[in-house]
Amino acid sequence: MSFNLLVLTCIAYVIFLFIVASAAERSALQGRAKWLRSPLVYTLSLSVYCTAWTFYGAVGYAARSGLEFMTIYLGPTLVFVGWWVVLRKLVRIGRENRVTSIADMISARYGKSNLLGVIVTLLCVAAGTPYIALQLQSIALSFTVFVSDTGRAPLAADRNLIAFWVAAGLTFFTIAFGTRNLDANEQHHGVVTAIAVEAVVKLLALIAVGIFVVWFVASGPTDILTRIDAQALPEWTIQPGRWTGLILLSAIAIICLPRMFQVTVVENIDDKHLATASWAFPLYLFLISLFVLPIAVIGMELMPEGANPDMFVLTLPLHLGQDGLALLSFLGGFSAATSMVIVASLALATMVSNHIVVPLWLKLRAARNLDTGNMRLLVLSVRRLSISLVLGLGYIYYIISGGTEALAAIGLVAFVGVAQVLPALLGALFWRGASRNGAALGLGLGTFLWFYALFLPSFGPDVLLSATLMDQGLFGQSWLRPYSLFGLTTLDPLLHALFWSLSLNTLAFCLGSLLSLPSPIERVQGALFVNIFDRPGPARSWTNPVAQAEDLLPMAQRILGASEGQAFFRVQAQAQGKNGFLPDITPEFLQALELKMSGSVGAATAHAMISQTVGATVVSVEDLMAVASETAQIIEYSSQLEAKSEELSRTARKLRDANEKLRTLSDQKDAFLSQISHELRTPMTSIRAFSEIMMDADGLSAQEQTHFARIIHDESIRLTRLLDDLLDLSVLEHGQVSLDIRPVNLRDLIDKSITASKSVQAQRTFRILRSRDPEDVEIVTDPGRLTQVFINILSNARKYCDATDPQMKIIVRQHKSMLEVDFIDNGSGIPRDKQALIFEKFSRLTDSLQAGGAGLGLAICREIMNNLGGDIDYVPGQGGAAFRVSLPLLLERPSGSGSAPATAE
């Protein structure tokens, strides 16, 4: 096949994946994501474990070592069959704590220590680098093997250049679908669905090659078994010790690899999916490994001497003239490599941003007493840069290592690296006495030994380690040679490094934990993690907060986005029996906010940001006692009593708020009645007095009569306006309003409202900031009533905005069938104690004579929006007075009793 045709095939396949991922993202946004979160998709996404090492390297591994390749499948099979021991607990903890990565899991358990997050992140990046290099190497090899016109296409023979362009393409795909949004759960519907599709492709490809080899090249299973016996090599002899070590290593990898943690824990939404995967994933591994040894044996028989056994899956069909089968095999290998790179780079980029860049940014901004700025944009930008960096490191490793022939060897180097996380991870799940100091000590020592005994030597002599050091040992000490530490020479380099690094790692972890005392927050998190199935709810670790909700809302908006942050605060306020966006700052609320933010920036960063804002993170003795009691067998009666107590407290708080609001409204109503009687009496007195004067017309000139008549006219208008407002409010409240429902352009209504409001304090310069394109939307509503609301908001801003350079920002957003229009000025805003009252009747923030009204404007606006199927709210924390008008794009005609028929033009 020509190089150009192969490239076009790859591009077409990637476009297909783009379509699949885009469709999944759209379905998720539209709330139709149930099929995306089925046990089948979840199980198929786990196949990201089966990389190019599995697809190509397993055959090469079988050709070199016989059945030993099965160890890379037996370990994961044992872990999933016994899923209730580790995986079930791991998934439950991850979901309840909004864990975003394995580094986040370790950090959250050990006192939300970012130092541990940094150590795990650096370790995973170092371990993932050779694994990514393996995928780039496999794709480059498959291109050069498959293409027949290398003379006419020089690029086809340049593996380094092919690997570079593959890395660039995968970077683009991962950024496009992995960092499009900052998901609160760090779940990626599009990516997972594309990975599931690739899982099917690589399984079908390997099975197709296997069926061809067994029934079309050989004469069936019996013939294959005969050929296996004939091809058996001395190296195929089973070594129990090595098998045990490799099974253990692969079992550790299925838990600790960042990409496997991402799909197993972070992307999981239901324990039932894990139960299904406990048998379905081992079945997938069985099917994908079923034909590995037959392909290896037939390849050894038919392929020329010196052929690379890692490429038998691809070269054997080509050698036998099966180009179509070879192309399917190529796409299978391409799927295996790309799926791993996408998920691994995404997981590593999340760790780098959450545990290195964002905490560093927060410290630098805090040191200069600066605001954190747009954290959402920062995190997304850092993740995109981190994805490029991770893939770049993989490419550099590939270039430096020279593209070693044995793919399996590269994968096993990465396995030993991530295995260093295991002691701290198991301690987090099962040992309450495990401490941050022990975890740091064990991780540090294990990582150093892995680097020295396996990772650096993997580049070869005189690359990163000198040949002299590798032969004679550090400082000339033979017992410090990388491949024979402490004089142990009976193990091969892989198991040698695994033994020493994991043994000393575990020893240091245990000693460090026993010799140090966990901090209070470590004890809280330890109880939460170890007894996750016994606890009725999350531990509470926030006491004596000193900040207000108005301080936390802007910070949450920067992380979660304006709409999601405001929606979260509103839900929390409603749960406390309050209206608006400002809940009480309770430990429960702070815990919920931390969990919400953890899904976007990680547990340690979320905790640090809230700590910085709230100013109180001390865990009291009472908190620890509560956690200790919760870890025991809690009596059902106590739980019910606590629930009733909380309900009574919530009800009492609602009653207190209602009584306070009634008192305030009563005072305002008394003041209003006094004011309204004064305002009614004043124009009526003027009208009566000037009417009596005009009755004696003999003593008045024509000019005086005109002047007095104008005064009577103005006072009548003033009296009529007041009575109209009262009548309008009464009609709206009783739903007797007649609506003029018709299509209208929102931008035209806003233009008309701005023009009409300019008559209010016309001498003031008031800048309007708006984006006209989002406003260009057709809605079906009552344009007159909606314009009345807009004019009221704009007029109030012209009257009350106290900024020296007043301005109004108008923002339009569309959410499914609803439309939101935000009006935000740059003044000092409305005081918090007044925000709950501004929409009530008779409510005035200033003297009514100064304001020119009786405090009915916003009350009328709210009733209008209720009749238009929408709402109007005050949104705090926006830097000034901010009102949000929400309305449906299509207002249905009112029906039923009590509503006048709507008129439409």
Side-chain angles (χ1 to χ4, degrees):
M1 180 179 286
S2 69
F3 178 74
N4 291 336
L5 183 58
L6 188 60
V7 170
L8 288 175
T9 302
C10 291
I11 292 175
Y13 181 68
V14 171
I15 291 174
F16 167 70
L17 293 179
F18 261 90
I19 294 172
V20 170
S22 298
E25 291 283 355
R26 283 196 303 271
S27 296
L29 290 175
Q30 295 169 3
R32 297 185 289 107
K34 288 186 177 179
W35 65 274
L36 298 175
R37 286 316 185 195
S38 65
L40 176 62
V41 173
Y42 177 72
T43 301
L44 290 175
S45 70
L46 295 173
S47 72
V48 74
Y49 175 78
C50 302
T51 65
W53 173 13
T54 300
F55 195 86
Y56 292 127
V59 174
Y61 199 168
R64 298 181 184 96
S65 305
L67 289 175
E68 190 177 289
F69 79 94
M70 290 297 300
T71 58
I72 62 177
Y73 304 104
L74 290 175
T77 297
L78 292 175
V79 170
F80 271 86
V81 168
W83 65 280
W84 63 88
V85 179
V86 175
L87 291 182
R88 176 169 170 259
K89 197 169 193 177
L90 197 64
V91 166
R92 178 68 64 85
I93 291 172
R95 189 165 61 248
E96 290 199 4
N97 290 271
R98 299 290 181 90
V99 168
T100 60
S101 66
I102 191 168
D104 196 26
M105 172 73 79
I106 299 296
S107 172
R109 162 59 180 87
Y110 295 104
K112 303 187 179 179
S113 166
N114 196 59
L115 174 62
L116 285 178
V118 171
I119 294 174
V120 175
T121 297
L122 294 177
L123 171 62
C124 289
V125 170
T129 296
Y131 222 138
I132 291 174
L134 184 153
Q135 313 309 312
L136 298 179
Q137 176 183 333
S138 68
I139 296 177
L141 276 173
S142 62
F143 262 95
T144 56
V145 166
F146 201 96
V147 174
S148 58
D149 60 344
T150 55
R152 289 186 294 171
L155 175 60
D158 191 340
R159 295 179 184 174
N160 293 345
L161 196 54
I162 292 173
F164 172 80
W165 286 112
V166 169
L170 291 176
T171 300
F172 173 76
F173 184 92
T174 308
I175 290 174
F177 288 100
T179 62
R180 181 177 296 182
N181 297 300
L182 194 60
D183 197 320
N185 293 321
E186 207 54 57
Q187 294 177 341
H188 310 88
H189 300 87
V191 170
V192 169
T193 308
I195 299 306
V197 171
E198 290 191 299
V200 175
V201 172
K202 61 191 177 188
L203 178 61
L204 291 178
L206 204 54
I207 289 178
V209 175
I211 291 174
F212 172 74
V213 164
V214 173
W215 280 279
F216 292 90
V217 177
S219 302
T222 304
D223 186 23
I224 282 291
L225 292 175
T226 303
R227 296 183 184 216
I228 290 174
D229 289 336
Q231 287 286 343
L233 300 175
E235 293 82 0
W236 289 19
T237 303
I238 293 178
Q239 305 174 43
R242 181 172 170 82
W243 270 60
T244 302
L246 292 177
I247 291 174
L248 173 64
L249 183 58
S250 60
I252 295 172
I254 200 69
I255 299 173
C256 298
L257 280 170
R259 70 175 188 277
M260 293 310 304
F261 191 92
Q262 176 73 33
V263 294
T264 306
V265 178
V266 179
E267 303 290 347
N268 180 278
I269 61 169
D270 193 338
D271 288 350
K272 294 179 181 177
H273 293 180
L274 191 60
T276 301
S278 68
W279 61 266
F281 183 57
L283 177 61
Y284 183 94
L285 294 179
F286 170 75
L287 292 175
I288 207 167
S289 63
L290 182 60
F291 295 104
V292 167
L293 194 57
I295 295 172
V297 169
I298 297 298
M300 294 170 66
E301 282 188 9
L302 302 182
M303 295 302 295
E305 187 176 353
N308 184 0
D310 287 326
M311 290 288 107
F312 280 173
V313 177
L314 183 59
T315 56
L316 191 57
L318 284 173
H319 181 73
L320 297 173
Q322 300 295 321
D323 290 347
L325 183 60
L327 181 59
L328 178 61
S329 176
F330 173 84
L331 290 177
F334 187 78
S335 298
T338 54
S339 60
M340 178 272 161
V341 173
I342 290 169
V343 179
S345 58
L346 190 58
L348 293 174
T350 300
M351 294 160 68
V352 170
S353 66
N354 288 357
H355 296 285
I356 297 178
V357 179
V358 172
L360 184 61
W361 172 265
L362 290 175
K363 287 184 179 180
L364 292 175
R365 301 290 287 187
R368 300 179 183 178
N369 293 321
L370 297 175
D371 191 70
T372 56
N374 190 340
M375 290 293 299
R376 189 179 182 84
L377 179 60
L378 171 69
V379 173
L380 287 175
S381 300
V382 168
R383 289 188 183 177
R384 289 163 184 161
L385 182 62
S386 300
I387 288 170
S388 303
L389 176 64
V390 167
L391 281 161
L393 289 174
Y395 177 73
I396 292 172
Y397 184 98
Y398 167 71
I399 296 297
I400 293 177
S401 64
T404 178
E405 291 295 320
L407 297 179
I410 302 179
L412 291 172
V413 168
F415 274 19
V416 177
V418 297
Q420 306 311 314
V421 181
L422 184 69
L425 183 62
L426 292 181
L429 299 181
F430 299 104
W431 186 21
R432 289 182 58 181
S435 74
R436 174 175 50 196
N437 293 337
L441 188 62
L443 279 168
L445 181 58
T447 302
F448 170 77
L449 289 172
W450 169 67
F451 256 87
Y452 180 72
L454 191 62
F455 181 75
L456 296 180
S458 70
F459 290 90
D462 291 325
V463 179
L464 296 179
L465 291 181
S466 68
T468 302
L469 186 148
M470 293 181 66
D471 182 57
Q472 300 179 10
L474 189 64
F475 308 121
Q477 302 295 317
S478 60
W479 60 277
L480 290 180
R481 286 180 295 175
Y483 286 154
S484 55
L485 286 174
F486 309 109
L488 182 62
T489 59
T490 56
L491 296 177
D492 66 81
L494 179 78
L495 294 182
H496 169 269
L498 176 65
F499 172 77
W500 283 119
S501 61
L502 205 56
S503 298
L504 295 180
N505 179 341
T506 304
L507 180 63
F509 169 62
C510 294
L511 289 177
S513 297
L514 292 172
L515 298 177
S516 63
L517 291 175
S519 65
I521 194 170
E522 283 183 78
R523 293 182 183 274
V524 171
Q525 293 300 102
L528 171 63
F529 276 48
V530 174
N531 302 294
I532 187 66
F533 296 112
D534 301 328
R535 293 183 48 79
R540 300 171 184 174
S541 58
W542 293 98
T543 60
N544 304 322
V546 297
Q548 300 295 327
E550 287 176 299
D551 303 317
L552 292 168
L553 179 56
M555 176 193 67
Q557 290 179 147
R558 295 190 192 104
I559 298 298
L560 305 173
S563 298
E564 188 170 352
Q566 293 162 12
F568 173 77
F569 270 65
R570 168 173 276 183
V571 169
Q572 293 296 315
Q574 290 174 349
Q576 296 177 357
K578 302 183 67 176
N579 294 322
F581 296 85
L582 300 177
D584 293 332
I585 305 302
T586 62
E588 293 86 351
F589 167 72
L590 291 176
Q591 182 74 18
L593 178 60
E594 183 180 335
L595 284 175
K596 185 75 172 177
M597 292 173 54
S598 295
S600 296
V601 296
T605 300
H607 190 76
M609 293 185 71
I610 296 179
S611 301
Q612 192 175 19
T613 304
V614 171
T617 61
V618 179
V619 182
S620 66
V621 175
E622 288 77 13
D623 287 323
L624 293 177
M625 293 299 294
V627 171
S629 64
E630 287 171 352
T631 60
Q633 192 71 23
I634 299 176
I635 302 176
E636 182 65 24
Y637 174 76
S638 299
S639 300
Q640 295 176 355
L641 186 62
E642 182 181 0
K644 291 180 180 178
S645 176
E646 291 180 358
E647 182 65 27
L648 288 173
S649 299
R650 193 158 45 244
T651 304
R653 183 166 59 249
K654 289 181 181 179
L655 289 174
R656 285 196 301 270
D657 292 345
N659 286 334
E660 182 63 29
K661 190 173 183 179
L662 285 173
R663 271 198 303 271
T664 304
L665 290 175
S666 178
D667 293 342
Q668 289 201 343
K669 188 172 183 178
D670 291 341
F672 168 78
L673 291 175
S674 175
Q675 181 66 41
I676 206 68
S677 62
H678 170 74
E679 291 190 358
L680 286 170
R681 187 182 295 113
T682 298
M684 292 178 66
T685 301
S686 298
I687 292 171
R688 178 180 177 183
F690 286 107
S691 297
E692 291 175 350
I693 293 175
M694 292 186 68
M695 289 174 65
D696 186 13
D698 296 339
L700 296 175
S701 65
Q703 183 177 3
E704 288 176 327
Q705 289 182 12
T706 302
H707 174 67
F708 292 148
R710 183 177 294 110
I711 293 176
I712 293 173
H713 178 265
D714 291 344
E715 292 298 324
S716 300
I717 292 176
R718 177 181 171 190
L719 181 61
T720 303
R721 186 189 307 120
L722 182 59
L723 294 174
D724 284 344
D725 283 349
L726 291 170
L727 180 61
D728 199 18
L729 184 59
S730 176
V731 170
L732 288 165
E733 285 181 332
H734 291 84
Q736 297 173 343
V737 63
S738 178
L739 299 177
D740 178 21
I741 303 175
R742 52 191 170 87
V744 65
N745 188 278
L746 178 65
R747 185 164 63 188
D748 296 340
L749 294 186
I750 295 177
D751 289 340
K752 186 185 299 183
S753 303
I754 292 173
T755 302
S757 66
K758 288 181 179 178
S759 61
V760 179
Q761 297 195 10
Q763 73 280 5
R764 293 193 73 184
T765 301
F766 207 90
R767 290 192 298 146
I768 304 293
L769 307 177
R770 53 193 288 208
S771 178
R772 297 180 63 86
D773 288 341
E775 298 173 3
D776 187 14
V777 57
E778 185 176 273
I779 57 176
V780 178
T781 188
D782 185 329
R785 289 293 185 178
L786 186 58
T787 302
Q788 182 181 347
V789 173
F790 290 170
I791 292 174
N792 187 281
I793 297 173
L794 292 167
S795 300
N796 285 345
R798 295 186 70 92
K799 287 188 286 187
Y800 300 125
C801 181
D802 54 5
T804 55
D805 180 22
Q807 64 184 35
M808 168 68 73
K809 182 161 51 176
I810 302 176
I811 302 172
V812 176
R813 285 185 296 268
Q814 185 173 338
H815 296 285
K816 297 181 181 178
S817 62
M818 295 296 292
L819 196 69
E820 291 181 353
V821 185
D822 287 0
F823 297 86
I824 307 172
D825 67 30
N826 62 336
S828 56
I830 296 175
R832 184 182 180 186
D833 58 341
K834 304 289 186 182
Q835 292 173 11
L837 301 172
I838 56 175
F839 293 105
E840 302 296 339
K841 291 179 290 186
F842 326 125
S843 176
R844 303 182 307 279
L845 300 183
T846 63
D847 180 72
S848 64
L849 293 176
Q850 176 186 347
L856 296 175
L858 287 177
I860 292 175
C861 287
R862 169 155 283 184
E863 293 301 328
I864 289 175
M865 293 313 304
N866 286 339
N867 279 270
L868 295 182
D871 201 359
I872 179 172
D873 297 289
Y874 181 80
V875 185
Q878 306 303 306
F883 290 88
R884 172 170 297 163
V885 178
S886 306
L887 69 153
L889 289 169
L890 175 62
L891 175 62
E892 298 181 357
R893 297 174 182 273
S895 60
S897 60
S899 293
T903 62
E905 297 180 2

